[in-house]
Amino acid sequence: MPTAYPPNTLVTVAPTGAETAKDDVPQLPTTLDELIAEAIACEAAGAGLIHVHVRDADHRPTLDPVRLRDTVAALRESTDLVVQLSTGGSVHDPLAARLAVLDAAPDSCSITCGTTNFGDDVFLNPWPFVVELFERARDAHVVPEFELFDLGHVQALHRLLDTCGLPWGGRVHCDFVLGVPGGMPGTVAALVAGVAALPTAVTSWSATGIGRSHLPVAAATLALGGHLRVGMEDNLVYARGRAVRSNVELVERAARLAAELQRPVLTTAGARELLGLGVS
Ligand code: KMH
Ligand code: ZN
């Protein structure tokens, strides 16, 4: 179990996701202009990495290759954030389209380490797909972030690293996603169990709690030496009875929490170093 208490905190923002409808949450950044404006403000507030899901002209989730490329280019032009594309997409996306996300040449990509029930749906990540995604990311010089929705996914990460070796960049960064209906519960006990089971090759980890588990998971993560993921992909409620107005206020709050715990936010350059970006 990694026991270090790092001096700084990487704040990842996941601003959009694939699950929430624009009609239900008009402040969700779904257009490219909205995403870029949000990304610029989140970087200024302390975010180091942006986890991106793209929407189409009707605000629906898409893995359209042109939109993905344009989004990566626009984020690079406007910010220094580490640009991570989701290869999880939506539960309806075919595996081939999810593999093709790498063609947009992001800095980083998510790789979910196993299948999980996802509400009434199934988020499919069969072992051969996970291995192929890992190998394609390595060949494309894209740094992965391993998403762990369940304790079994931690075990799959052991198997993946044992089978395939280290990813591009030589670092192993993973992210616990707690509180998805069908995955690990959003509890401190589940987080502690997951962290205790991590492979020793893991060099950094973050966590996010879905919905009402967002704040308790963030507090426990900081205390355990982890990094933070926040954003409207995961949480739409800022406080009891008060909806999130923008991703920026979630990043600002994460930065305040991190500073109070004497682990101020990492710069974007620090984020790149942490993740092994720029290392050949
Ligand atoms: N939208 C979920 C089905 C990822 O981005 O890699 C999957 C997800 C994970 O959000
Ligand atoms: Zn995602």
Side-chain angles (χ1 to χ4, degrees), residues 15-16 21-30 34 38 232 236-237 242-247 249:
T16 311
K22 182 78 163 175
D23 282 350
D24 294 338
V25 183
Q27 66 273 37
L28 191 74
T30 51
E34 288 168 346
E38 200 91 322
M232 294 173 75
L236 296 165
V237 177
R242 210 277 252 167
V244 171
R245 295 187 184 120
S246 80
N247 285 282
E249 63 179 359

mmCIF file of all heavy atoms in Angstrom, residues 15-16 21-30 34 38 232 236-237 242-247 249:
data_model
loop_
_atom_site.group_PDB
_atom_site.id
_atom_site.type_symbol
_atom_site.label_atom_id
_atom_site.label_comp_id
_atom_site.label_asym_id
_atom_site.label_seq_id
_atom_site.Cartn_x
_atom_site.Cartn_y
_atom_site.Cartn_z
ATOM 1 N N PRO A 15 -15.505 17.636 -16.343
ATOM 2 C CA PRO A 15 -16.547 18.667 -16.378
ATOM 3 C C PRO A 15 -17.902 18.232 -16.940
ATOM 4 O O PRO A 15 -18.912 18.868 -16.636
ATOM 5 C CB PRO A 15 -15.937 19.758 -17.269
ATOM 6 C CG PRO A 15 -14.953 19.049 -18.130
ATOM 7 C CD PRO A 15 -14.438 17.895 -17.326
ATOM 8 N N THR A 16 -17.941 17.158 -17.733
ATOM 9 C CA THR A 16 -19.164 16.920 -18.515
ATOM 10 C C THR A 16 -19.711 15.504 -18.358
ATOM 11 O O THR A 16 -20.900 15.324 -18.082
ATOM 12 C CB THR A 16 -18.895 17.209 -20.011
ATOM 13 O OG1 THR A 16 -18.262 18.482 -20.147
ATOM 14 C CG2 THR A 16 -20.187 17.190 -20.802
ATOM 15 N N ALA A 21 -28.083 14.898 -19.053
ATOM 16 C CA ALA A 21 -28.658 15.559 -20.228
ATOM 17 C C ALA A 21 -28.590 17.076 -20.064
ATOM 18 O O ALA A 21 -28.834 17.605 -18.977
ATOM 19 C CB ALA A 21 -30.107 15.123 -20.413
ATOM 20 N N LYS A 22 -28.250 17.747 -21.154
ATOM 21 C CA LYS A 22 -28.189 19.216 -21.148
ATOM 22 C C LYS A 22 -29.531 19.817 -20.745
ATOM 23 O O LYS A 22 -29.578 20.824 -20.030
ATOM 24 C CB LYS A 22 -27.776 19.695 -22.537
ATOM 25 C CG LYS A 22 -27.628 21.200 -22.680
ATOM 26 C CD LYS A 22 -26.330 21.693 -22.095
ATOM 27 C CE LYS A 22 -26.004 23.096 -22.596
ATOM 28 N NZ LYS A 22 -24.793 23.629 -21.930
ATOM 29 N N ASP A 23 -30.617 19.207 -21.208
ATOM 30 C CA ASP A 23 -31.946 19.736 -20.868
ATOM 31 C C ASP A 23 -32.165 19.742 -19.362
ATOM 32 O O ASP A 23 -32.837 20.611 -18.815
ATOM 33 C CB ASP A 23 -33.039 18.874 -21.523
ATOM 34 C CG ASP A 23 -33.185 19.210 -22.994
ATOM 35 O OD1 ASP A 23 -32.591 20.219 -23.428
ATOM 36 O OD2 ASP A 23 -33.864 18.440 -23.701
ATOM 37 N N ASP A 24 -31.599 18.751 -18.695
ATOM 38 C CA ASP A 24 -31.784 18.657 -17.237
ATOM 39 C C ASP A 24 -30.856 19.607 -16.490
ATOM 40 O O ASP A 24 -31.197 20.087 -15.405
ATOM 41 C CB ASP A 24 -31.515 17.215 -16.750
ATOM 42 C CG ASP A 24 -32.543 16.234 -17.289
ATOM 43 O OD1 ASP A 24 -33.641 16.688 -17.664
ATOM 44 O OD2 ASP A 24 -32.227 15.029 -17.362
ATOM 45 N N VAL A 25 -29.663 19.815 -17.059
ATOM 46 C CA VAL A 25 -28.647 20.642 -16.370
ATOM 47 C C VAL A 25 -28.032 21.601 -17.402
ATOM 48 O O VAL A 25 -26.975 21.329 -17.980
ATOM 49 C CB VAL A 25 -27.551 19.744 -15.737
ATOM 50 C CG1 VAL A 25 -26.534 20.573 -14.970
ATOM 51 C CG2 VAL A 25 -28.171 18.704 -14.813
ATOM 52 N N PRO A 26 -28.685 22.741 -17.651
ATOM 53 C CA PRO A 26 -28.217 23.642 -18.717
ATOM 54 C C PRO A 26 -26.797 24.158 -18.491
ATOM 55 O O PRO A 26 -26.104 24.524 -19.448
ATOM 56 C CB PRO A 26 -29.233 24.798 -18.666
ATOM 57 C CG PRO A 26 -30.432 24.236 -17.974
ATOM 58 C CD PRO A 26 -29.947 23.178 -17.031
ATOM 59 N N GLN A 27 -26.342 24.196 -17.236
ATOM 60 C CA GLN A 27 -24.980 24.700 -16.968
ATOM 61 C C GLN A 27 -23.897 23.662 -17.269
ATOM 62 O O GLN A 27 -22.701 23.948 -17.137
ATOM 63 C CB GLN A 27 -24.862 25.207 -15.513
ATOM 64 C CG GLN A 27 -24.989 24.169 -14.415
ATOM 65 C CD GLN A 27 -26.428 23.917 -13.978
ATOM 66 O OE1 GLN A 27 -27.336 23.924 -14.809
ATOM 67 N NE2 GLN A 27 -26.633 23.649 -12.707
ATOM 68 N N LEU A 28 -24.273 22.455 -17.669
ATOM 69 C CA LEU A 28 -23.289 21.430 -18.041
ATOM 70 C C LEU A 28 -22.567 21.882 -19.313
ATOM 71 O O LEU A 28 -23.217 22.214 -20.305
ATOM 72 C CB LEU A 28 -24.023 20.103 -18.304
ATOM 73 C CG LEU A 28 -23.166 18.849 -18.444
ATOM 74 C CD1 LEU A 28 -22.633 18.394 -17.085
ATOM 75 C CD2 LEU A 28 -23.979 17.716 -19.086
ATOM 76 N N PRO A 29 -21.220 21.911 -19.305
ATOM 77 C CA PRO A 29 -20.515 22.368 -20.511
ATOM 78 C C PRO A 29 -20.526 21.282 -21.593
ATOM 79 O O PRO A 29 -19.795 20.291 -21.491
ATOM 80 C CB PRO A 29 -19.093 22.658 -20.007
ATOM 81 C CG PRO A 29 -18.927 21.803 -18.791
ATOM 82 C CD PRO A 29 -20.293 21.616 -18.191
ATOM 83 N N THR A 30 -21.332 21.483 -22.618
ATOM 84 C CA THR A 30 -21.480 20.465 -23.668
ATOM 85 C C THR A 30 -20.983 20.937 -25.029
ATOM 86 O O THR A 30 -20.701 20.112 -25.892
ATOM 87 C CB THR A 30 -22.950 20.029 -23.803
ATOM 88 O OG1 THR A 30 -23.745 21.200 -23.940
ATOM 89 C CG2 THR A 30 -23.409 19.232 -22.586
ATOM 90 N N GLU A 34 -18.190 26.200 -24.506
ATOM 91 C CA GLU A 34 -18.440 26.074 -23.052
ATOM 92 C C GLU A 34 -17.328 25.288 -22.373
ATOM 93 O O GLU A 34 -16.877 25.630 -21.278
ATOM 94 C CB GLU A 34 -19.794 25.388 -22.809
ATOM 95 C CG GLU A 34 -20.997 26.250 -23.141
ATOM 96 C CD GLU A 34 -22.307 25.469 -23.161
ATOM 97 O OE1 GLU A 34 -22.280 24.210 -23.180
ATOM 98 O OE2 GLU A 34 -23.368 26.121 -23.186
ATOM 99 N N GLU A 38 -14.783 26.781 -19.523
ATOM 100 C CA GLU A 38 -14.731 26.095 -18.225
ATOM 101 C C GLU A 38 -13.304 25.613 -17.935
ATOM 102 O O GLU A 38 -12.807 25.734 -16.813
ATOM 103 C CB GLU A 38 -15.688 24.893 -18.274
ATOM 104 C CG GLU A 38 -16.125 24.377 -16.936
ATOM 105 C CD GLU A 38 -17.404 25.034 -16.435
ATOM 106 O OE1 GLU A 38 -17.591 26.252 -16.638
ATOM 107 O OE2 GLU A 38 -18.212 24.318 -15.819
ATOM 108 N N MET A 232 -18.631 17.942 -12.723
ATOM 109 C CA MET A 232 -20.057 17.676 -12.922
ATOM 110 C C MET A 232 -20.314 16.316 -13.555
ATOM 111 O O MET A 232 -21.456 15.866 -13.599
ATOM 112 C CB MET A 232 -20.681 18.802 -13.757
ATOM 113 C CG MET A 232 -20.673 20.132 -12.995
ATOM 114 S SD MET A 232 -21.205 21.534 -13.991
ATOM 115 C CE MET A 232 -22.969 21.221 -14.022
ATOM 116 N N LEU A 236 -23.490 16.728 -9.099
ATOM 117 C CA LEU A 236 -24.248 17.902 -9.553
ATOM 118 C C LEU A 236 -24.799 18.733 -8.399
ATOM 119 O O LEU A 236 -25.540 19.679 -8.618
ATOM 120 C CB LEU A 236 -25.400 17.443 -10.461
ATOM 121 C CG LEU A 236 -24.952 16.769 -11.762
ATOM 122 C CD1 LEU A 236 -26.109 16.017 -12.417
ATOM 123 C CD2 LEU A 236 -24.377 17.809 -12.722
ATOM 124 N N VAL A 237 -24.442 18.353 -7.173
ATOM 125 C CA VAL A 237 -24.971 19.061 -5.992
ATOM 126 C C VAL A 237 -23.787 19.643 -5.223
ATOM 127 O O VAL A 237 -22.898 18.917 -4.785
ATOM 128 C CB VAL A 237 -25.782 18.094 -5.092
ATOM 129 C CG1 VAL A 237 -26.257 18.810 -3.831
ATOM 130 C CG2 VAL A 237 -26.964 17.533 -5.863
ATOM 131 N N ARG A 242 -28.558 22.754 -3.015
ATOM 132 C CA ARG A 242 -27.949 23.768 -3.900
ATOM 133 C C ARG A 242 -27.171 23.087 -5.030
ATOM 134 O O ARG A 242 -26.200 22.384 -4.799
ATOM 135 C CB ARG A 242 -27.024 24.655 -3.062
ATOM 136 C CG ARG A 242 -26.902 26.071 -3.569
ATOM 137 C CD ARG A 242 -25.881 26.213 -4.671
ATOM 138 N NE ARG A 242 -24.686 26.890 -4.231
ATOM 139 C CZ ARG A 242 -23.567 26.900 -4.937
ATOM 140 N NH1 ARG A 242 -23.489 26.236 -6.081
ATOM 141 N NH2 ARG A 242 -22.514 27.543 -4.482
ATOM 142 N N ALA A 243 -27.672 23.296 -6.258
ATOM 143 C CA ALA A 243 -27.041 22.650 -7.423
ATOM 144 C C ALA A 243 -25.676 23.273 -7.709
ATOM 145 O O ALA A 243 -25.428 24.442 -7.386
ATOM 146 C CB ALA A 243 -27.934 22.805 -8.646
ATOM 147 N N VAL A 244 -24.808 22.480 -8.332
ATOM 148 C CA VAL A 244 -23.513 23.001 -8.810
ATOM 149 C C VAL A 244 -23.796 24.022 -9.914
ATOM 150 O O VAL A 244 -24.569 23.757 -10.824
ATOM 151 C CB VAL A 244 -22.639 21.851 -9.348
ATOM 152 C CG1 VAL A 244 -21.403 22.403 -10.031
ATOM 153 C CG2 VAL A 244 -22.255 20.885 -8.231
ATOM 154 N N ARG A 245 -23.155 25.190 -9.807
ATOM 155 C CA ARG A 245 -23.359 26.233 -10.827
ATOM 156 C C ARG A 245 -22.343 26.111 -11.951
ATOM 157 O O ARG A 245 -22.623 26.472 -13.093
ATOM 158 C CB ARG A 245 -23.241 27.620 -10.186
ATOM 159 C CG ARG A 245 -24.330 27.884 -9.171
ATOM 160 C CD ARG A 245 -24.324 29.320 -8.657
ATOM 161 N NE ARG A 245 -25.335 29.444 -7.615
ATOM 162 C CZ ARG A 245 -25.083 29.793 -6.359
ATOM 163 N NH1 ARG A 245 -23.852 30.091 -5.982
ATOM 164 N NH2 ARG A 245 -26.065 29.857 -5.475
ATOM 165 N N SER A 246 -21.147 25.661 -11.605
ATOM 166 C CA SER A 246 -20.117 25.455 -12.627
ATOM 167 C C SER A 246 -19.051 24.530 -12.044
ATOM 168 O O SER A 246 -18.934 24.393 -10.819
ATOM 169 C CB SER A 246 -19.464 26.777 -13.032
ATOM 170 O OG SER A 246 -18.503 27.145 -12.071
ATOM 171 N N ASN A 247 -18.265 23.951 -12.935
ATOM 172 C CA ASN A 247 -17.160 23.107 -12.468
ATOM 173 C C ASN A 247 -16.136 23.905 -11.671
ATOM 174 O O ASN A 247 -15.445 23.363 -10.817
ATOM 175 C CB ASN A 247 -16.479 22.453 -13.672
ATOM 176 C CG ASN A 247 -17.303 21.324 -14.238
ATOM 177 O OD1 ASN A 247 -17.326 20.221 -13.694
ATOM 178 N ND2 ASN A 247 -18.028 21.601 -15.311
ATOM 179 N N GLU A 249 -16.428 26.101 -9.375
ATOM 180 C CA GLU A 249 -16.587 26.160 -7.916
ATOM 181 C C GLU A 249 -16.214 24.828 -7.260
ATOM 182 O O GLU A 249 -15.770 24.812 -6.105
ATOM 183 C CB GLU A 249 -17.990 26.620 -7.516
ATOM 184 C CG GLU A 249 -19.113 25.704 -7.926
ATOM 185 C CD GLU A 249 -20.465 26.241 -7.453
ATOM 186 O OE1 GLU A 249 -20.504 27.310 -6.805
ATOM 187 O OE2 GLU A 249 -21.477 25.581 -7.749
#
